[in-house]
Amino acid sequence: MIPASAIEEIRQAADIVDIISDYISLQPAGRNYKALSPFTKEKTPSFVVSPEKQIYKCFSTGKGGNVFSFVMEMEKVSFPEAVELVAKRSGIDISRFTEKKEKLSAHEKSWTDTLRWTAKFYHEMLQGAEGKKGSAYLAEKRGLSEKTIRSFGLGYAPEGWEKLLRAAEKSGIPKQHIQELGLVTHNKQRNSWYDTFRNRIIFPIFSVGGQVVGFGGRTILQDPQVPKYLNSPESRMFEKSKLLYGLHAAKNEIRKAEAAILVEGYMDVLALHQAGITNAVASCGTSLTRYQAKILRRYTGTVLFIYDGDPAGKKSMMTGIDILLSEGIIPYVVTLPPEDDPDSFLHREGRERFLRYSTENRVPFLDYQIRVFREAGFLDRTEEKSKAIRSIAHSLSLIPDHIERELYLQELSEKLGISIHALHEIISRESVPENKRNKVPETRKEEHVKPKQELSVLEKTFLKALLESTRYGNTVLEFAASHEEMLELKNRDAQEIFSHMISRYNSIADKPDERIDIVTELALFSSSEARNLASGLLIDQPVSNRWLEKSNIDIEQAKRCLTMFLDAFKNLILEPLVREKNILMENIRLESDSNREIELMKEKKLLDERIIKTTYDLQQMIRHILAGC
């Protein structure tokens, strides 16, 4: 665990404007900064960053928080991982905490350690005498520099059946761990174990955060009986369909370039990165999947396909276009010469020629689809042309944005000479697109979920004063904690914020000089809804300033927060009693039985007395508290 004090130190050292600027373009807007939301498509900026308060709020999606929650949203990582990333970005060393923090399950921790050890073993093999064949292959045949080899942690699995197995035993790596990770294979006939990767170049495969999760191995033998590539077996840590090779090294450049280059192989990624084209990733030797497209969508809305120029590469790109479109990504395609791949083209032609070729031959996905069908002869005959149009129309139906979809349909109509009406008919006859079909169960499910109670003005004022009060000390929190049982907020997000703040106060109650940093606290709420609500309340003008603009002195500001909080607290206590009285009065008005009416009048009298006494007690308590300030 990273201590709260260290987390607060990291947050205070981090400049939220500086870090968010790594992801989106911020423009000054008075005391704040504005930008187009990174969470949704919009034309008018609704994303606000307050450098003074070190928080952000997206008014189009409702999301908000501090620097940690922003990194969690953008990188899709846990809170501890976000803290580590922000610390690294801010130049703060927290290794003394993170080295001991791996609260993974026993199996996951052992797998992580074993994968890291294995990657190091293979890399050292490549650098040593046994790796001469591997290093010669990479340097001479594939043209990779030492820097690229080191940056991507490339390695070599030596010849011999038990090199890794024996090295693991010597290093104290339990045999069970390398078995479970598929690094060794069982020979049933001999009841023995041998290394899975032998005489192969090893490509460590990293998670987006840079953690080794598996390996790919390419043979350097010219033997058709030997599989060209081997990958680690599927496991919870290594799911090829959910990984993009090179993303850990490419993600920042993808954001800056606002586009990703998608290639097929490990060597293609390495060649492009070595040439300084560092926004390239590969789909780990598999066809592009929906999950991989979702990952890419976190970083960009544009993908450039540069697959092999053979028929298999073209087929993969046609399938991949549909997958990307369904995730709101607009694909472009570069078709390389036959028998070429990005690695061979770069190796032969060089960087400048590759960039020029990519620019000159970059084709929008719609033009590429039309060209593929035209080259196959599908647009020459009516029946085949009908099938081609239906196929392209289906692709366009997957685009989530209605306006974009309509514009592409109009473009298709003009290019193939078919009416827009006919295209709409084709789409309407198709089965409901998956992006819409997926929403049906959610709608049905919501019908059975109890609707959330709307946040009342009173609850909003109460919470806002409570949160702002933390800047001036613990007086309000102390009062709230001692009277917690007296009220329950109806809005569940508001109640979560209230309960969290009381819990945090109780954790420091015996340390009167310690204060709670509310901005740091934002990322610690258990639900994103509570975090979004709290950040929205904080980014508004403070109630203490809005309520009375007399002084900026902390002690007066604190008293104003406390007074506003106590007033809201009193009204929250009285609100259910007043509501009960109103219901009772309506029942008296409608009651036709005189005896029952008398009983109801007696109940009203008792309730009136209770309201008067409660009001008096609360007012006395408030006066007493304020008198001590």
Side-chain angles (χ1 to χ4, degrees), residues 551-610:
S551 171
N552 290 322
I553 301 173
D554 272 5
I555 190 166
E556 292 194 18
Q557 294 280 39
K559 190 170 181 178
R560 290 169 195 163
C561 276
L562 178 59
T563 306
M564 183 68 86
F565 169 82
L566 292 172
D567 186 55
F569 179 86
K570 179 189 73 175
N571 290 327
L572 280 170
I573 298 296
L574 292 174
E575 188 182 44
L577 298 177
V578 173
R579 188 166 56 249
E580 186 181 346
K581 177 182 175 179
N582 291 336
I583 293 171
L584 200 52
M585 289 175 68
E586 181 66 12
N587 289 339
I588 291 171
R589 188 180 68 81
L590 298 173
E591 185 57 62
S592 57
D593 186 322
S594 58
N595 290 329
R596 176 60 184 155
E597 185 178 357
I598 292 170
E599 290 298 319
L600 291 174
M601 291 293 290
K602 289 179 180 178
E603 288 182 30
K604 178 183 175 298
K605 182 182 178 183
L606 292 172
L607 185 58
D608 283 338
E609 292 173 355
R610 183 182 171 193

Side-chain angles (χ1 to χ4, degrees), residues 194-338:
Y194 59 91
D195 296 349
T196 302
F197 297 105
R198 302 180 312 282
N199 203 14
R200 289 179 180 271
I201 300 297
I202 298 296
F203 303 88
I205 299 171
F206 299 88
S207 68
V208 68
Q211 173 64 52
V212 180
V213 293
F215 301 95
R218 189 198 190 286
T219 183
I220 57 176
L221 298 174
Q222 300 298 319
D223 185 348
Q225 302 300 315
V226 176
K228 187 175 180 180
Y229 278 98
L230 283 181
N231 285 309
S232 295
E234 292 280 312
S235 69
R236 199 194 68 79
M237 293 192 73
F238 183 71
E239 297 177 77
K240 284 193 296 182
S241 63
K242 297 182 178 181
L243 293 165
L244 287 160
Y245 181 72
L247 183 60
H248 70 292
K251 59 185 179 183
N252 290 336
E253 185 58 32
I254 289 173
R255 287 197 191 94
K256 291 177 184 176
E258 298 182 347
I261 295 176
L262 188 61
V263 295
E264 288 186 278
Y266 304 135
M267 289 304 308
D268 296 328
V269 171
L270 296 171
L272 285 163
H273 277 253
Q274 181 167 286
I277 307 169
T278 55
N279 59 330
V281 295
S283 52
C284 280
T286 66
S287 298
L288 184 70
T289 67
R290 285 291 297 271
Y291 200 99
Q292 290 166 338
K294 286 179 187 293
I295 294 171
L296 284 171
R297 188 66 187 87
R298 300 174 192 168
Y299 303 97
T300 184
T302 305
V303 165
L304 178 62
F305 272 115
I306 311 183
Y307 277 16
D308 296 358
D310 58 15
K314 291 180 180 180
K315 183 178 179 181
S316 294
M317 283 191 283
M318 288 290 280
T319 304
I321 285 171
D322 282 2
I323 292 170
L324 291 174
L325 288 175
S326 66
E327 294 302 325
I329 298 174
I330 301 303
Y332 291 81
V333 177
V334 171
T335 304
L336 294 173

